[in-house]
């Protein structure tokens, strides 16, 4: 197996990627797994095997922690300005190579190239933002209320961090953790999703080129994420677990981390309501719905999962959305004409289909799409349903696909109650021309993030995260993201 990261030397012709394989990236070296086993990577648009990556064992996990421990002191003592410059270089290299990275993301994840380009820009921005934050970490100094001493608070890197990321944003979910961790002075071990490991390895090679010292970032892939993660968390040198993924796996990891009292950040699932009031600008609401629903073909934690539309605008909105969804080009993500790529796996397609059929069985009307196409590739057509009842499974589970379920509502209190009728609380969207109502409803909706008259809220400069079972902690934002990777140290000083 070829285990060198030659991606950036290649002509960005898709056929080149089929021979592209990586090693585990541990201590700045590329190596196979200790038992030589590999995980196959599948192109979701053709179901063909496109690459193989090593399948890390417990011994490899131990080696990764060892490798992260080696430079830990040197990295935390590296001047913030130097760390900042390296992070800035990561941003520049990602920006220069945006097209190659986007093509790789499209290939292994299936998302449309335009979405992949957007992801690379978003992912790179975490390096620029945290390069700027790295030199602005400051402590506190004050007088104790008793007057007996001074209170000095210093913020220190938390220690070695285990980072676990999902397949839906293979670049951005990794950089949203790696950039603030490195800015804070921590070393990390990244375990990317098994479906999309190639982007994570390509980025590891890029970090090295940007000047990230060996061992500061380590990347391992494994088909045994439970035991491998448990082994890393059991090492007393590991002090942080930052996870992005499903709420179910998040619960398992919180229990595992509790055994060792490890600090946890959890970015988990969502069930975003998209609320359109009668007084909304219809065209703006439809534009916003297409972004909130169809970015990444619906495979986003912030995706609009339930569309509540007020009675007076309901029929016009439903027809407008049907027209727009039915007109989308479905195809391989790597095709520049594609607007909606395949889903990540056959299992994902089956789940989406189950949710659609369940809603139809309970009385929802399918306005377009709604059937799994024949042929190869994990495709599901853009689908709109109306009259979706509250008891439909899709009102409570993440659809994670190109399906827009519309329900009618009459009044403000009613829609707030409906929006909050979920264990999740990540994101919500509100469309109204009445700013006072928008702010009032925003304050009553139980979610970590609200987009008011917008279809997109993600921004490295804003705190991203959820309430309820959507997570713990925040990523990005002024100080929030870095704070997750630091501990406050208080010194009482008599002077
Ligand atoms: P997932 O099944 O929870 O997997 C996420 C990651 O956890 C993968 O790397 C996976 O590895 C790993 N994993 C699975 N079981 C594990 C275990 N027992 N111990 C340690 N690691 C384990 O989620 P997904 O299907 O990849 O991603 C979709 C979910 O992520 C959705 O629920 C979505 O809402 C959520 N998400 C949330 C945010 C946010 O910011 N809140 C952002 C993006 C996605 P393998 O791939 O090897 O199984």
């Amino acid at each position: 197996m070829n285990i060198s990261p030659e991606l950036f030397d290649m002509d960005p012709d898709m056929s080149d990627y089929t021979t592209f394989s990586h090693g585990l990236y541990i201590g700045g070296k590329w190596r196979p797994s200790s038992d030589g086993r590999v995980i196959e990577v599948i192109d979701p648009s053709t179901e063909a095997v496109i690459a193989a990556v090593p399948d890390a064992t417990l011994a490899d996990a131990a080696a990764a922690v060892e490798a992260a421990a080696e430079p830990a002191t040197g990295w935390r003592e590296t001047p913030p300005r130097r760390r900042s410059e390296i992070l800035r270089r990561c941003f520049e290299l990602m920006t220069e190579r945006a097209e190659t990275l986007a093509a790789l993301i499209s290939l292994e994840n299936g998302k449309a190239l335009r979405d992949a380009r957007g992801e690379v820009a978003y992912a790179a921005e975490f390096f620029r933002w945290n390069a700027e934050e790295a030199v602005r970490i400051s402590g506190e100094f004050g007088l104790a209320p008793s007057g007996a001493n001074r209170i000095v608070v210093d913020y220190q890197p938390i220690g070695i961090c285990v980072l676990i990321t999902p397949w839906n944003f293979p670049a951005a979910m990794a950089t949203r953790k790696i950039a603030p961790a490195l800015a804070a002075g921590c070393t990390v071990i990244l375990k990317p999703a098994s479906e999309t490991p190639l982007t994570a390895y390509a980025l590891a090679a890029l970090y090295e080129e940007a000047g990230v010292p060996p061992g500061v970032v380590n990347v391992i892939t494994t088909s045994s994420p439970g035991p491998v993660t448990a082994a890393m968390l059991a090492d007393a040198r590991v002090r942080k677990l930052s996870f992005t993924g499903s709420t179910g796996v998040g619960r398992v990891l919180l229990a595992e981390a509790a055994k060792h009292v490890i600090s946890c950040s959890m970015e988990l699932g969502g069930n975003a309501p998209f609320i359109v009031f009668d007084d909304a600008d219809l065209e703006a609401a439809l534009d916003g719905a297409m972004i909130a629903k169809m970015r990444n073909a619906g495979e986003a934690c912030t995706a609009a999962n339930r569309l509540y539309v007020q009675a007076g605008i309901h029929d016009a909105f439903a027809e407008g959305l049907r027209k727009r969804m039915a007109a989308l080009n479905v195809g391989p993500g790597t095709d520049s004409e594609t607007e909606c790529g395949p889903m990540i796996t056959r299992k994902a397609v089956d789940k989406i289909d189950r949710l659609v059929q369940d809603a139809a069985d309970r009385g929802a009307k399918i306005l377009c799409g709604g059937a799994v196409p024949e042929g190869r590739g994990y495709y599901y057509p853009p689908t709109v349903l109306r009259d979706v009842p509250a008891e439909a499974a899709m009102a409570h589970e993440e659809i994670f696909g190109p399906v827009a379920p519309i329900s009618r509502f009459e009044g403000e209190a009613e829609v707030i109650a409906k929006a909050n009728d979920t264990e999740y609380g990540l994101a919500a969207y509100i469309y109204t021309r009445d700013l006072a109502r928008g702010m009032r409803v925003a304050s009553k909706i139980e979610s970590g993030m609200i987009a008011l008259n917008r279809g997109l809220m993600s921004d490295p400069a804003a705190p991203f995260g959820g309430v309820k079972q959507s997570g713990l902690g925040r990523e990005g934002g002024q100080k929030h993201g870095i704070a997750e990777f630091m501990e406050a140290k208080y010194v009482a000083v008599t002077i």
Side-chain angles (χ1 to χ4, degrees), residues 268-275 289 292-293 298 300-308 394-400 403-405 415 418-430 445-451 454-455 457 464 470:
L268 307 178
N271 182 9
F274 187 100
I275 301 168
K293 179 72 257 179
C301 54
T302 51
N305 208 58
R306 300 167 287 155
L307 289 81
Y308 297 117
M394 63 169 59
H396 306 281
E397 288 180 43
E398 281 188 292
I399 303 168
F400 240 61
V403 175
V415 79
K418 284 181 168 164
N420 289 339
D421 182 21
T422 171
E423 65 181 15
Y424 296 106
L426 186 63
Y429 303 83
I430 304 166
I445 289 190
E446 297 160 355
S447 81
M449 299 176 290
I450 308 269
R454 286 182 57 74
M457 77 266 294
F464 188 107
S470 285

Side-chain angles (χ1 to χ4, degrees), residues 164-168 173 176 191-195 222 225-226 229 243-246 249 252-253 267-270 301 398 400 426 464 470:
I164 302 178
T165 51
W167 49 263
N168 66 335
M173 296 303 95
R176 201 165 76 177
K191 195 220 81 64
S194 301
E195 288 91 352
T222 180
T229 306
F243 171 73
T244 298
S246 60
V249 172
V252 170
L253 287 173
E267 295 287 348
L268 307 178
C301 54
E398 281 188 292
F400 240 61
L426 186 63
F464 188 107
S470 285

Side-chain angles (χ1 to χ4, degrees), residues 14 71 96 159 170 235 257 276 357 383 402:
M14 292 306 147
E96 279 167 25
D235 188 310
V276 186
Q357 299 321 318
T383 297

Side-chain angles (χ1 to χ4, degrees), residues 126-175:
F126 284 101
F127 282 112
R128 177 156 66 172
W129 180 258
N130 284 287
E132 290 156 357
E133 290 295 297
V135 288
R136 313 225 185 284
I137 298 166
S138 56
E140 294 143 33
F141 181 81
L143 181 63
S146 66
N149 61 282
R150 300 284 167 175
I151 293 171
V152 179
V153 184
D154 186 18
Y155 288 92
Q156 301 193 325
I158 195 165
I160 296 176
C161 309
V162 170
L163 316 176
I164 302 178
T165 51
W167 49 263
N168 66 335
F169 288 91
M173 296 303 95
T175 62

